[in-house]
Amino acid sequence: MDSSENYRAVRERVVAAAQRAGREVTLLAVSKTRPAASVRGLAAFGQRAFGENYVQECLAKQRELADPGLEWHLIGPLQSNKAREVAAHFDWLQSLDRVKLVALLDRARPPGRTPLNVLIQVNVDDEASKSGCTPEQIGALAAVVRTAPRLALRGLMAIPAPAADPRRRETAFVRMRALFEELRRDHADIDTLSMGMSEDFELAIACGATMVRVGSALFGARATTVR
């Protein structure tokens, strides 16, 4: 299928899964490693939110596209030395995982912009090689974000461990939903649970996702990484 058919098919599946779950779900197009032309193509079909792993790669696309209507999410790990650029040029950070970053981001967010939307990344499967705070650290990190006036706590994000057995992925998704609801008891206005990718986004929606991150199902096989 070409990109328009891919986009239509994915949108239809997201909408159908959202209707079954009885909630609105946002589709985030994961455009990491994809050229600006691919982003422009999906934007022409109406897609506005795009997810990137690498700060410099995303900034290059922003300069090339110069489209103020696009919404940029950093979904990859954030290094401290990139916090200023993320605060200045992104709309969402989905990978906050430590207190140190909060003050850096808050100080660097331009006063004229709306607060930077923040999701706390949770290492739900306790993978040694994966970023994210532990479930036990969520509450303390959320409380610190709440003290930062130029940041807006929106919810949680997770990338569960790959598993051929969908029951294992479902277990991780269900646990994330429980952690999300627990956080909402202290912060009733949070509204975003970002989980689920191309191979499992319908299952993630059924388990509570309000945002799904889809790349290969929209763009095809992953291209060579460009940073």
Side-chain angles (χ1 to χ4, degrees):
M1 292 190 293
D2 63 25
S3 57
S4 63
E5 293 175 333
N6 285 349
Y7 184 68
R8 183 170 60 250
V10 169
R11 283 292 311 169
E12 288 176 353
R13 290 170 59 193
V14 169
V15 168
Q19 289 176 341
R20 291 192 296 270
R23 81 178 72 86
E24 293 186 4
V25 176
T26 298
L27 170 62
L28 181 69
V30 177
S31 49
K32 64 179 182 179
T33 78
R34 314 292 174 168
S38 295
V39 174
R40 185 181 294 113
L42 282 196
F45 305 139
Q47 178 65 26
R48 310 314 295 168
F50 293 87
E52 294 281 336
N53 267 40
Y54 307 111
V55 174
Q56 297 307 316
E57 177 188 342
C58 184
L59 295 183
K61 291 175 189 175
Q62 291 182 21
R63 289 191 294 269
E64 183 173 345
L65 294 166
D67 185 340
L70 299 184
E71 181 180 280
W72 297 98
H73 297 231
L74 184 69
I75 59 176
L78 174 59
Q79 299 174 344
S80 299
N81 63 354
K82 299 293 184 183
R84 178 173 294 277
E85 291 174 304
V86 170
H89 298 289
F90 283 75
D91 302 289
W92 287 69
L93 170 64
Q94 295 207 15
S95 53
L96 183 72
D97 61 358
R98 58 198 187 278
V99 169
K100 176 183 178 180
L101 295 171
V102 175
L104 296 174
L105 292 163
D106 188 55
R107 286 197 300 266
R109 186 67 171 175
R113 295 199 62 179
T114 58
L116 176 68
N117 296 297
V118 171
L119 299 181
I120 294 172
Q121 182 175 354
V122 183
N123 188 345
V124 66
D125 291 316
D126 193 26
E127 294 182 87
S129 61
K130 188 166 288 181
S131 300
C133 70
T134 67
E136 294 74 22
Q137 294 170 328
I138 294 172
L141 183 51
V144 175
V145 176
R146 284 299 205 188
T147 68
R150 294 178 182 169
L151 305 183
L153 179 65
R154 298 294 298 272
L156 302 178
M157 182 270 264
I159 307 173
D165 184 350
R167 289 174 297 183
R168 287 187 59 190
R169 283 177 281 165
E170 182 176 5
T171 297
F173 291 150
V174 169
R175 187 180 188 201
M176 282 302 302
R177 172 66 180 270
L179 293 170
F180 178 69
E181 294 299 341
E182 181 178 339
L183 185 62
R184 287 188 70 185
R185 287 196 285 272
D186 293 324
H187 307 281
D189 57 338
I190 68 168
D191 57 7
T192 304
L193 178 56
S194 174
M195 61 184 187
M197 297 183 283
S198 290
E199 67 276 9
D200 56 17
F201 67 81
E202 287 157 312
L203 176 61
I205 293 171
C207 293
T210 68
M211 180 181 293
V212 292
R213 307 180 305 272
V214 179
S216 58
L218 290 170
F219 296 105
R222 184 174 297 178
T224 302
T225 299
V226 179
R227 301 193 189 186

